[in-house]
Amino acid sequence: MICDQCGERSASVIVKQQQQGQMVERNLCHICAAENHSINIAFEQDPLAIHQLLSNWFPNAQASINPVRKEIATCPSCGFTFSKFLRIGKFGCASCYDAFSPQLNEIFKRFHNGNIEHTGKIPASYGTTLKIKKEIEELRKQMQISIQGEHFEEAARLRDEVKVLSAKLEGGIQDGS
Amino acid sequence: MAVERFLQPHASSWMANDGKNVDIAMSTRVRLARNLNNFKFPYAFTEDEALKVDKEISSVLLDKGNELDYTFSHISIEELAELQKEILVEKHLISPYLINSHHSGSVLLSDNEELSIMVNEEDHLRIQSLQSGFQLQQAYKIANELDSLLEKNLSYAFHEKHGYLTSCPTNVGTGMRASVMLHLPALTMSHQIQRIIPAISRLGMVVRGIYGEGSEALGNVYQISNQLTLGKSEYEILQDLENMTEQIIQQERKAREAIALNSPVVLEDRIYRSLGVLTHSRLLTTEEAATCLSDVRLGIDLKMIQDVDMSILNELMIFMQPAFLQQYADKPLQPKERDFARAKLFRERLNKNGINSEGEDLA
């Protein structure tokens, strides 16, 4: 079939338009169809909405079925299922993050260039415990580097620091600041 | 009513024309998304919960906001007339999403309009800090101080691994979206912008035209913002964005020099024609106004036009929009009538300031 508009190329798109109250159907080639602005109305306003990206990446919510209990992950607090999350692209509450936890790393990686962990600001109320945990993690990393470089004195010093901090964590934080 | 002062056609402080690199970087915005721990997020909560969230957040802000030397006005969205809502959107003080929400929401605005806190938008809390020019650190500092004040009095949804928990997975972590509005006429004219945009997106940042994604930027105004909110600290995100913005600014300056050098008459002709259109036309569409504003702005930056105040152009970018025009005309306007009102507004604002005013008929 030849394009109704240019009469040259072969038609590949059928465009339905409301014209003076009547539905008109036209066969257009891809070039004329693209030039025909009014057909844009037929598309969703935001062709790259989050929920569309999600459902394209995770076409069937199989990942959400717990292999042991054979049930679909559901958030106990707000009732959102994993499939609903994929469909609308939004969480229903804070507990969703735990309920869908096994699948989230994959999702976060795609949105955040492979990153899955927060390294920024921490609210003051969470601050002290979390800060110590992060410090311990950092010291352990440094300790490994020292051991690999055979700087054993430095490694021992770092180990002692970790001990002090761990004791602080276990003993609870005194000042609560 | 509290909202009246914010509806006036007075420029907000972030529209003033000061700050670093303000000739190219017009304004800076930092937004923090937060949610309360003990309530469902806006996609799942009930109207009753929405009201409680609004009450809880507003009372803290109205009570403690003055600790930061800000006075806030609380405005319930549902109490506003349609036109009033649209004016706040046109002024960038609230988002279109907030006015279309099915739940009770509100906005708390600081008197100088630098801070706007939306309640029950996509998240319980959206702290927005606006600055004139290129001032990422300053904009973040203000948002961060307010955030710290709020978290002392509210329990935020926060996760050790994921950070601040948000409705959308694209905001989780820092919850921060920082952006700079850039006027890039020379990069657009020389088609270099098409090569720059994909490069930027590979680095976890995104560029979009001011009025929507994908489309050609109206008036050569682009917004560059961070895309990532996980894995980098606020400080690193701001640093990256700052470096990238500085590079784009330098590229734009080079492109301007090249155009001024290679085709000075063509450029001058284009700039003065645009000034003519803005000061003399009787019908002015949004697209034409935006294009001409861009040219005149460039003319001022290149010192070709000396007698037009840049801050008036900033104001006009806001006030030429449909809701403001209808307020200005004091009646509902059809699109064609808006073009007439827009042309009248431009003639009045620009000619009052002494350009080509002779023989002008302002009637």
Side-chain angles (χ1 to χ4, degrees):
Chain A
M1 192 179 290
I2 301 294
C3 171
D4 289 345
Q5 192 163 316
C6 63
E8 288 173 11
R9 290 173 287 264
S10 61
S12 56
V13 183
I14 299 172
V15 178
K16 285 185 184 174
Q17 280 175 313
Q18 192 88 17
Q19 278 181 359
Q20 288 154 359
Q22 286 200 323
M23 191 61 86
V24 181
E25 218 177 85
R26 302 168 73 204
N27 298 291
L28 300 180
C29 68
H30 66 287
I31 294 172
C32 291
E35 282 169 0
N36 193 332
H37 290 295
S38 56
I39 72 165
N40 284 338
I41 300 160
F43 294 121
E44 289 240 5
Q45 265 200 323
D46 188 357
L48 284 178
I50 299 304
H51 60 92
Q52 277 164 317
L53 290 175
L54 278 173
S55 44
N56 288 338
W57 279 333
F58 304 90
N60 38 25
Q62 278 175 354
S64 69
I65 298 172
N66 182 324
V68 182
R69 285 186 286 165
K70 300 263 181 216
E71 59 195 26
I72 293 171
T74 305
C75 173
S77 165
C78 68
F80 267 38
T81 59
F82 186 68
S83 352
K84 179 163 184 186
F85 161 70
L86 288 182
R87 201 168 62 243
I88 66 170
K90 314 285 172 183
F91 294 106
C93 70
S95 306
C96 289
Y97 280 84
D98 291 323
F100 311 141
S101 167
Q103 288 83 35
L104 292 184
N105 282 354
E106 260 326 292
I107 291 172
F108 291 159
K109 268 187 201 166
R110 303 208 189 192
F111 281 126
H112 300 281
N113 272 10
N115 294 304
I116 51 171
E117 281 199 36
H118 175 62
T119 55
K121 185 178 177 179
I122 296 164
S125 51
Y126 292 76
T128 328
T129 336
L130 199 54
K131 214 173 124 202
I132 295 174
K133 280 189 194 163
K134 299 250 174 198
E135 264 178 63
I136 293 176
E137 257 173 51
E138 190 55 39
L139 287 170
R140 288 213 167 111
K141 271 187 222 158
Q142 286 179 22
M143 206 161 79
Q144 283 308 314
I145 296 168
S146 301
I147 292 170
Q148 276 162 17
E150 301 190 1
H151 304 299
F152 297 113
E153 267 181 45
E154 175 68 6
R157 192 185 64 74
L158 291 166
R159 182 200 58 209
D160 291 344
E161 269 189 58
V162 170
K163 267 190 193 163
V164 173
L165 288 176
S166 304
K168 233 186 188 178
L169 263 191
E170 278 162 26
I173 287 90
Q174 298 298 309
D175 61 8
S177 63
Chain B
M1 196 177 175
V3 71
E4 295 301 336
R5 63 175 294 148
F6 301 105
L7 302 175
Q8 298 308 309
H10 296 308
S12 313
S13 71
W14 63 269
M15 293 176 215
N17 200 55
D18 52 42
K20 214 170 98 190
N21 283 315
V22 73
D23 55 334
I24 293 172
M26 302 162 72
S27 62
T28 306
R29 185 185 77 130
V30 169
R31 181 268 279 158
L32 301 175
R34 303 286 187 252
N35 284 288
L36 304 187
N37 203 17
N38 31 3
F39 292 95
K40 286 179 211 128
F41 293 172
Y43 282 92
F45 67 7
T46 60
E47 177 60 17
D48 189 42
E49 284 171 296
L51 286 165
K52 280 186 191 151
V53 168
D54 192 1
K55 202 169 168 207
E56 195 161 316
I57 294 173
S58 318
S59 62
V60 171
L61 262 170
L62 294 173
D63 226 33
K64 316 265 178 183
N66 55 2
E67 284 181 25
L68 296 174
D69 287 334
Y70 284 104
T71 311
F72 290 101
S73 305
H74 177 258
I75 299 162
S76 283
I77 298 304
E78 56 195 3
E79 285 172 18
L80 296 178
E82 280 310 307
L83 190 68
Q84 295 177 320
K85 292 179 196 172
E86 282 163 31
I87 286 178
L88 294 182
V89 171
E90 289 178 359
K91 251 181 155 180
H92 301 260
L93 296 176
I94 60 174
S95 67
Y97 183 92
L98 185 68
I99 63 176
N100 295 319
S101 165
H102 302 299
H103 289 289
S104 290
S106 65
V107 61
L108 291 119
L109 294 171
S110 71
D111 284 357
N112 61 1
E113 302 178 24
E114 272 179 15
L115 267 172
S116 150
I117 297 101
M118 283 185 274
V119 180
N120 294 340
E121 207 243 25
E122 186 177 288
D123 294 294
H124 293 150
L125 198 53
R126 290 255 167 134
I127 301 167
Q128 179 179 256
S129 155
L130 290 153
Q131 289 285 311
S132 167
F134 180 27
Q135 304 195 70
L136 279 167
Q137 303 293 343
Q138 176 65 7
Y140 176 67
K141 184 173 166 269
I142 291 171
N144 186 41
E145 279 171 1
L146 184 77
D147 179 49
S148 299
L149 176 79
L150 286 171
E151 76 173 32
K152 270 194 231 163
N153 300 281
L154 298 166
S155 171
Y156 278 166
F158 184 83
H159 191 284
E160 284 194 16
K161 186 176 163 197
H162 305 311
Y164 291 95
L165 303 182
T166 51
S167 289
C168 189
T170 56
N171 292 320
V172 68
T174 59
M176 181 177 82
R177 192 82 61 216
S179 57
V180 184
M181 203 86 97
L182 297 166
H183 180 230
L184 305 174
L187 288 176
T188 311
M189 272 183 235
S190 56
H191 304 294
Q192 291 179 70
I193 195 77
Q194 284 123 330
R195 287 191 290 130
I196 291 175
I197 290 175
I200 291 170
S201 61
R202 262 177 268 152
L203 297 168
M205 283 165 262
V206 66
V207 183
R208 53 169 73 90
I210 181 172
Y211 293 120
E213 294 175 49
S215 60
E216 194 174 312
L218 197 57
N220 302 321
V221 176
Y222 299 83
Q223 190 188 49
I224 173 169
S225 54
N226 66 302
Q227 185 84 316
L228 302 186
T229 52
L230 264 182
K232 283 198 216 171
S233 67
E234 290 82 355
Y235 177 76
E236 290 169 305
I237 293 170
L238 292 171
Q239 275 293 317
D240 287 353
L241 192 59
E242 199 159 290
N243 287 340
M244 179 57 75
T245 307
E246 261 160 22
Q247 288 187 48
I248 297 175
I249 290 173
Q250 279 174 17
Q251 292 299 320
E252 169 67 19
R253 285 201 203 289
K254 274 191 204 158
R256 286 182 184 191
E257 278 168 27
I259 292 173
L261 194 72
N262 296 328
S263 24
V265 182
V266 177
L267 184 64
E268 206 172 331
D269 179 67
R270 174 172 166 165
I271 287 168
Y272 279 101
R273 275 172 189 273
S274 289
L275 181 62
V277 169
L278 293 188
T279 50
H280 287 81
S281 59
R282 263 43 183 180
L283 291 172
L284 202 47
T285 64
T286 307
E287 286 73 21
E288 195 177 16
T291 308
C292 294
L293 271 174
S294 170
D295 289 340
V296 172
R297 176 175 276 276
L298 180 63
I300 297 172
D301 288 341
L302 296 174
K303 309 265 186 300
M304 284 182 192
I305 298 174
Q306 309 268 356
D307 48 5
V308 180
D309 187 347
M310 189 73 96
S311 59
I312 292 177
L313 299 191
N314 290 350
E315 285 175 37
L316 285 171
M317 277 189 71
I318 304 290
F319 304 146
M320 71 173 196
Q321 299 173 89
F324 262 109
L325 285 179
Q326 298 187 56
Q327 182 183 245
Y328 166 76
D330 203 19
K331 59 177 184 192
L333 298 172
Q334 296 302 310
K336 280 271 171 256
E337 297 173 315
R338 275 184 233 151
D339 292 348
F340 180 76
R342 190 177 293 113
K344 184 163 171 276
L345 169 76
F346 273 78
R347 291 201 308 277
E348 283 183 4
R349 292 295 284 139
L350 290 171
N351 291 325
K352 211 194 300 181
N353 293 278
I355 11 152
N356 305 334
S357 55
E358 281 174 47
E360 258 298 301
D361 174 18
L362 294 179

